[in-house]
């Protein structure tokens, strides 16, 4: 979509004529019929047809912007394997997810208030920045806060703990050099924050996001905390809400694929009466459930916090226990875990002192 | 260029920027007959108008104002809250009757009036009473004892503050009058900078008596309208909002999946309300009394149930003439 016209396989003369008529990107050409195009640019009819064919041909294959027309399944698999996942610092959860939160997909985190959704989002916002020599993605993050829960004190805690953890693991020169640029200050400078106060602002932000992502190609994670909060006010216009949410879902998946980012959104829970019993289910309705690829449910069981993957095309429904410590989102404290150094290629996990401040 | 855009817009029902942002690109194309790139430009322009601030980095946030907090006035309790109430978002204080929730509301109505370097926000408070009448005598007692409570502040500064002039009291018996109060009086006071704290004492009273059990859908709608109004005021004016809530008994543990089910009571108004709350605190009464000089107080406990920046923790406290103070001689139990 963002391809410049000059990259199309056309003759120099044709490209000149297109350029002087003001067509810079292939997106500009999409809606033109050959006769209109030839009138605008001064090309002959056959040349105009050729241009449009080149544009349509280059844009096929899912609109990924690749030069080739389409990818085979094998190529897709290889592409996926190259993409690293973003670790959550809870090794059990990372293992269930096959490495961590996947890039190129939408992951939804649901749960009751206080269960740890925002904590997981803040943890991921720090984890996405872990240097590649430690097995991380070394990317930036765009954090859209609709609730007001992005509090600097907590982000600083989590960032400091991650820096401490990585510096303990640094074994060789490359890792030690990477630690020079992995500090609390740089972590904060790589988190882009936007506060949206209602659903119109959120929609506006999503419209402006593709341009922002193009200007900042190092962004590997988009967090929206929470999607539910502004949309639940539309209780009187449910059909409009569904319509808007469908649009949001499509925009998010397009961005995830085109810009190679992981999208993490949080959702609230709501009560639904079924067969005379009340159940707690994710908010925003059944239709919204189709938008995210992976759905994580965080819930209480007694005094334990559990994370369940309850929708995923590639994972079995599994449940792991986690906890929230002053350092952030971590594995549950089963026994005293000593500091352990893992080889670089494995997912980064936390073996730091687990202080149990949660239940 | 823009003139050619506006003509088709006037033809259709797109009156406001909001309509443009909410419509999808294909819909806009169909309605206006503009080309794809024109529609994209239109949407981008509309979105840019809707956006309040461009993205900033968290590092830049450090140097901004939004990290301010409202101190309670007791260093022990402020440590539990890591500074005090956050300025954006709703803080809830729930508990059984007689635990001291109103004390906290009153204390905050005074602590907000101190300047920022002493943990206040340099403005007054709007105190909305929905059930009992405002405890004016107790407020005057607290004012009289401020020098004793706030030993961290120079005494001449404390005496110079005209506390009672800056506590604006409203009595609203039902939801409609409360909403009117918020849209008019609260907004006016906030715009003029006269007030930087809103206390609603209590929220439960508004919603329990008005609706029957099967009207819960309507009740949830009213709840959402009310809480979103509070939330917007809070964000727009960087003003902490304290909502005092009652508690209900929890009968079946399996249904209380909203918390680690360790207590027999749970804040009222259920999940719909809990979703609107950013910081949830609970006050409870413990066995035992604390004695200090000629005063004695039943022992209380202030707990953090959830907050984005606080650990689940608690602190014992007592209510004295000068207000609520943390009690440090008992070691706080970590759950």
């Amino acid at each position: 979509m963002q391809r410049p016209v000059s990259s199309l396989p056309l003759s120099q003369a044709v490209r000149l004529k297109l350029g002087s008529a003001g067509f810079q990107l292939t997106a500009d050409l999409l809606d033109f019929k050959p006769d209109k195009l030839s009138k605008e640019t001064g090309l002959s009819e056959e040349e105009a047809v050729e241009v449009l064919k080149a544009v349509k041909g280059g844009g096929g294959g899912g609109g990924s912007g690749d030069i080739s027309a389409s990818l085979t399944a094998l190529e897709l698999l290889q592409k996926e394997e190259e993409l690293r996942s973003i670790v959550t610092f809870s090794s059990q959860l990372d293992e269930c997810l096959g490495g961590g939160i996947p890039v190129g997909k939408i992951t939804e985190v649901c749960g009751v208030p206080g269960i740890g959704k925002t904590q997981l989002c803040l943890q991921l916002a720090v984890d996405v920045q872990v240097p590649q020599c430690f097995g991380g993605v070394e990317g930036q993050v765009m954090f859209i806060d609709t609730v007001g829960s992005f509090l600097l004190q907590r982000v600083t805690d989590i960032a400091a703990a991650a820096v401490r953890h990585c510096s303990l693991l640094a074994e060789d020169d490359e890792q030690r050099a990477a630690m020079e640029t992995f500090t609390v200050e740089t972590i904060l400078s790589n988190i882009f924050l936007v506060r949206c106060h209602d659903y119109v602002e959120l929609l506006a932000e999503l419209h402006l996001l593709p341009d922002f992502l193009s200007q900042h190609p190092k962004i590997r994670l988009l967090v929206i905390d929470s999607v539910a909060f502004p949309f639940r006010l539309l209780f009187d216009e449910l059909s409009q809400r569904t319509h808007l949410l469908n649009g949001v879902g499509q925009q998010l998946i397009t961005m995830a694929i085109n810009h190679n980012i992981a999208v993490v959104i949080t959702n609230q829970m709501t009560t639904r009466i079924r067969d005379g019993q009340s159940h707690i289910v994710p908010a925003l309705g059944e239709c919204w459930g189709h938008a995210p690829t992976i759905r994580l449910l965080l819930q209480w069981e007694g005094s334990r916090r559990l994370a369940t993957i309850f929708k995923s095309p590639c994972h079995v429904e599994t449940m792991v226990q986690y906890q929230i410590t002053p350092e952030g989102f971590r594995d549950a404290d089963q026994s005293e875990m000593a500091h352990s150094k893992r080889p670089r290629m494995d997912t980064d996990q936390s073996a730091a002192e687990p202080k149990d401040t949660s239940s | 260029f823009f003139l050619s855009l506006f003509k088709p817009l006037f033809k259709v029902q797109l009156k406001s920027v909001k309509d443009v942002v909410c419509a999808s690109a294909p819909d806009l194309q169909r309605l206006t007959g503009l080309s794809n790139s024109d529609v994209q430009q239109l949407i981008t322009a509309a979105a840019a108008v809707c956006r309040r601030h461009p993205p900033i980095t968290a590092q830049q946030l450090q140097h901004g104002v939004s990290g301010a907090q409202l101190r309670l006035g007791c260093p022990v309790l402020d440590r539990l809250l890591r500074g005090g109430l956050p300025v954006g978002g709703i803080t809830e204080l729930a508990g059984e009757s007689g635990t001291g929730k109103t004390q906290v509301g009153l204390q905050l109505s005074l602590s907000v009036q101190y300047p920022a370097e002493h943990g206040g926000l340099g403005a007054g408070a709007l105190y909305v009473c929905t059930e009992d009448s405002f405890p004016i005598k107790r407020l005057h007692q607290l004012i009289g004892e401020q020098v004793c409570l706030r030993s961290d502040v120079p005494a001449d500064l404390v005496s110079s503050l005209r506390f009672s002039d800056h506590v604006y009291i409203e009595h609203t018996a039902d939801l409609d009058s409360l909403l009117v109060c918020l849209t008019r009086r609260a907004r006016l006071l906030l715009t003029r900078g006269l007030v930087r704290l809103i206390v609603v004492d209590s929220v439960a009273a508004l919603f329990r008596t008005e609706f029957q059990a099967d009207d819960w859908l309507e009740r949830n709608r009213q709840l959402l309208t009310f809480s979103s109004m509070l939330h917007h005021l809070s964000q727009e004016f960087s003003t902490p909002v304290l909502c005092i809530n009652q508690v209900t008994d929890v009968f079946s543990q399996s249904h209380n999946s909203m918390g680690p089910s360790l207590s027999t009571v749970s804040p009222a108004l259920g999940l719909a309300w809990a979703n609107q709350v950013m910081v949830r605190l609970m006050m409870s009464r413990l066995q035992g009394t604390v004695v200090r000089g000629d005063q004695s107080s039943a022992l209380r406990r202030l707990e953090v149930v959830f907050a984005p920046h606080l650990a689940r923790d608690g602190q014992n406290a007592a209510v004295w003439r000068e207000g609520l103070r943390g009690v440090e001689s008992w070691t706080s139990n970590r759950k």
Side-chain angles (χ1 to χ4, degrees):
Chain A
M1 286 301 192
Q2 301 280 23
R3 261 181 85 188
V5 161
S6 49
S7 69
L8 288 173
L10 299 166
S11 70
Q12 180 74 344
V14 172
R15 268 187 265 159
L16 268 174
K17 284 203 183 137
L18 284 173
S20 54
F23 292 99
Q24 301 292 339
L25 301 172
T26 55
D28 295 336
L29 289 166
L30 279 177
D31 286 312
F32 279 85
K33 293 246 154 60
D35 48 1
K36 203 161 172 221
L37 184 62
S38 69
K39 242 188 273 179
E40 290 260 47
T41 57
L43 292 166
S44 70
E45 287 258 12
E46 311 90 277
E47 283 171 337
V49 170
E50 213 195 296
V51 167
L52 289 170
K53 238 200 268 189
V55 168
K56 298 240 166 69
S64 61
D66 279 338
I67 305 290
S68 56
S70 56
L71 295 171
T72 63
L74 181 63
E75 284 163 358
L76 269 176
L77 178 65
Q78 284 167 342
K79 230 178 130 198
E80 252 192 43
E81 285 181 341
E82 276 169 42
L83 296 171
R84 283 181 169 165
S85 319
I86 304 172
V87 293
T88 62
F89 267 35
S90 156
S91 58
Q92 290 191 22
L93 184 58
D94 289 337
E95 212 176 290
C96 289
L97 289 168
I101 302 289
V103 169
K105 303 203 171 87
I106 303 181
T107 304
E108 182 187 74
V109 182
C110 331
V112 294
I115 191 68
K117 308 184 291 293
T118 302
Q119 302 301 306
L120 179 55
C121 290
L122 297 176
Q123 184 71 63
L124 290 169
V126 169
D127 293 350
V128 71
Q129 304 185 41
V130 169
Q132 285 188 348
C133 55
F134 285 99
V137 167
E138 204 166 323
Q140 295 176 317
V141 49
M142 173 65 161
F143 199 106
I144 300 183
D145 177 14
T146 64
V147 183
S149 55
F150 186 92
L151 295 175
L152 209 52
Q153 278 175 321
R154 189 55 178 151
V155 184
T156 314
D157 285 347
I158 296 178
V163 168
R164 264 198 310 273
H165 177 73
C166 285
S167 47
L168 286 171
L169 289 182
E171 291 173 319
D172 57 36
D173 291 331
E174 193 188 344
Q175 289 181 333
R176 275 188 278 270
M179 287 311 297
E180 302 281 311
T181 48
F182 189 61
T183 63
V184 174
E185 280 300 313
T186 53
I187 291 176
L188 292 181
S189 68
N190 286 323
I191 302 177
F192 295 100
L193 173 69
V194 177
R195 291 211 158 104
C196 294
H197 300 91
D198 56 39
Y199 73 93
V200 178
E201 280 183 45
L202 178 59
L203 290 173
E205 206 54 56
L206 290 176
H207 281 305
L208 297 169
L209 209 44
D211 282 336
F212 190 80
L213 291 173
S214 300
Q215 289 158 10
H216 297 89
K218 284 193 76 188
I219 294 182
R220 289 275 85 78
L221 173 66
L222 167 68
V223 177
I224 305 183
D225 181 18
S226 73
V227 158
F229 192 78
F231 278 104
R232 295 200 66 203
L233 287 173
L234 287 172
F235 41 74
D236 276 337
E237 306 139 56
L238 283 179
S239 59
Q240 195 208 9
R241 189 178 87 175
T242 314
H243 182 73
L244 292 174
L245 284 172
N246 281 341
V248 168
Q250 287 186 1
Q251 282 176 305
L252 290 176
I253 195 68
T254 310
M255 279 190 271
I257 294 174
N258 286 356
H259 294 96
N260 226 6
I261 59 173
V263 178
V264 174
I265 52 185
T266 63
N267 194 2
Q268 294 172 340
M269 303 297 277
T270 185
T271 335
R272 179 141 310 155
I273 312 275
R274 210 183 294 147
D275 313 323
Q277 282 257 342
S278 76
H279 299 269
I280 296 189
V281 298
L284 299 180
E286 289 282 337
C287 294
W288 173 251
H290 299 299
T293 324
I294 299 180
R295 297 180 96 182
L296 272 177
L297 172 66
L298 304 182
Q299 58 191 335
W300 289 104
E301 191 193 76
S303 57
R304 308 192 306 157
R305 298 182 199 244
L306 298 177
T308 312
I309 304 173
F310 75 101
K311 176 197 172 185
S312 168
C314 29
H315 307 104
V316 176
E317 190 172 308
T318 34
M319 205 182 274
V320 301
Q321 194 184 343
Y322 68 93
Q323 61 172 342
I324 310 290
T325 68
E327 284 84 40
F329 192 92
R330 297 287 189 272
D331 279 322
D333 181 20
Q334 272 125 15
S335 54
E336 292 302 289
M337 286 160 88
H339 292 302
S340 64
K341 296 193 174 180
R342 301 264 153 131
R344 237 189 271 173
M345 282 305 130
D346 281 4
T347 61
D348 216 356
Q349 74 97 39
S350 159
E353 327 80 62
K355 255 189 249 152
D356 187 4
T357 40
S358 65
S359 45
Chain B
F1 170 72
F2 282 114
L3 283 176
S4 65
L5 271 186
F6 284 148
K7 259 205 276 190
L9 284 183
F10 288 135
K11 273 195 231 154
V12 301
Q13 290 306 318
L14 295 170
K15 298 267 174 52
S16 71
V17 179
K18 173 181 163 180
D19 289 333
V20 173
V21 168
C22 289
S24 65
D27 282 346
L28 280 175
Q29 259 192 294
R30 189 173 36 87
L31 283 173
T32 61
L34 294 167
S35 72
N36 185 43
S37 57
D38 277 348
V39 163
Q40 291 300 334
Q41 286 207 342
L42 179 63
I43 294 180
T44 309
V49 169
C50 283
R51 180 198 247 181
R52 281 199 202 191
H53 297 291
I56 59 171
T57 67
Q59 194 183 32
Q60 289 166 319
L61 190 66
Q62 273 181 318
H63 311 298
V65 246
S66 50
Q69 281 164 311
L70 174 58
R71 260 189 244 165
L72 198 54
C74 162
V76 175
L77 296 177
D78 287 327
R79 213 177 311 134
L80 173 71
L81 301 174
R82 280 182 92 178
L85 299 196
V87 290
I90 298 177
T91 299
E92 177 195 50
L93 178 60
E96 288 171 301
S97 55
T99 45
K101 309 187 293 292
T102 303
Q103 301 299 309
V104 174
L106 295 175
Q107 198 157 321
L108 286 169
S109 303
L110 300 179
S111 69
V112 68
Q113 301 188 35
Y114 290 88
E117 60 262 25
H118 294 293
L121 296 171
L126 173 63
Y127 201 105
V128 182
C129 297
T130 64
E131 4 177 37
D132 309 320
S133 57
F134 185 80
I136 188 82
K137 269 204 208 139
R138 179 56 173 149
L139 181 71
H140 279 127
Q141 188 181 42
L142 289 174
I143 291 175
E145 301 279 341
Q146 275 295 292
V147 178
C148 171
L149 176 72
R150 300 303 299 266
S151 47
D152 55 310
V153 182
D156 49 347
L157 176 61
V158 181
S159 332
S160 71
L161 287 169
R162 305 255 65 84
F163 289 107
S164 47
D165 288 351
H166 297 105
V167 179
Y168 299 86
I169 303 164
E170 279 275 339
H171 287 96
T172 60
D174 57 63
L175 188 58
D176 286 326
S177 46
L178 175 62
L179 291 174
V180 168
C181 167
L182 287 179
T183 34
R184 302 227 188 108
R185 191 150 185 231
R187 183 161 275 280
L188 195 63
L189 289 169
L190 287 164
T191 316
R192 292 199 185 150
L194 295 170
V195 148
R196 288 261 335 254
L197 168 70
I198 300 177
V199 180
V200 182
D201 184 3
S202 66
V203 291
L206 293 166
F207 297 98
R208 277 169 133 174
T209 51
E210 300 220 352
F211 299 103
Q212 311 295 334
D214 37 304
D215 262 349
W216 67 278
L217 202 64
E218 183 57 30
R219 188 193 85 165
N220 282 357
R221 287 182 180 178
Q222 299 278 24
L223 213 94
L224 269 183
T225 312
F226 160 70
S227 58
S228 93
M229 204 177 289
L230 277 180
H231 185 82
H232 279 124
L233 287 174
S234 172
Q235 297 283 11
E236 193 179 335
F237 296 100
S238 288
T239 292
V241 175
L242 179 74
C243 287
I244 293 176
N245 196 7
Q246 294 162 4
V247 292
T248 50
D249 295 309
V250 173
F251 291 110
S252 160
Q253 287 304 325
S254 61
H255 278 270
N256 187 28
S257 48
M258 288 219 347
S261 51
L262 291 167
S263 71
T264 54
V265 292
S266 159
L269 303 179
L271 184 56
W273 167 248
N275 276 329
Q276 308 303 315
V277 166
M278 193 170 80
V279 176
R280 171 167 272 178
L281 306 171
M282 274 194 75
M283 276 284 257
S284 49
R285 264 177 113 122
L286 304 178
Q287 300 275 29
T289 46
V290 196
V291 176
R292 193 189 72 181
D294 61 331
Q295 302 181 56
S296 83
S297 159
L299 193 60
R300 267 99 166 160
R301 189 157 175 86
L302 179 64
E303 301 260 0
V304 174
V305 178
F306 63 74
H309 62 311
L310 303 175
R312 286 176 57 84
D313 196 6
Q315 177 64 51
N316 288 355
V319 177
W320 307 113
R321 266 201 299 269
E322 72 268 21
L324 186 76
R325 284 198 120 134
V327 172
E328 279 218 283
S329 47
W330 273 259
T331 45
S332 53
N333 295 323
R334 288 179 163 237
K335 285 215 172 81

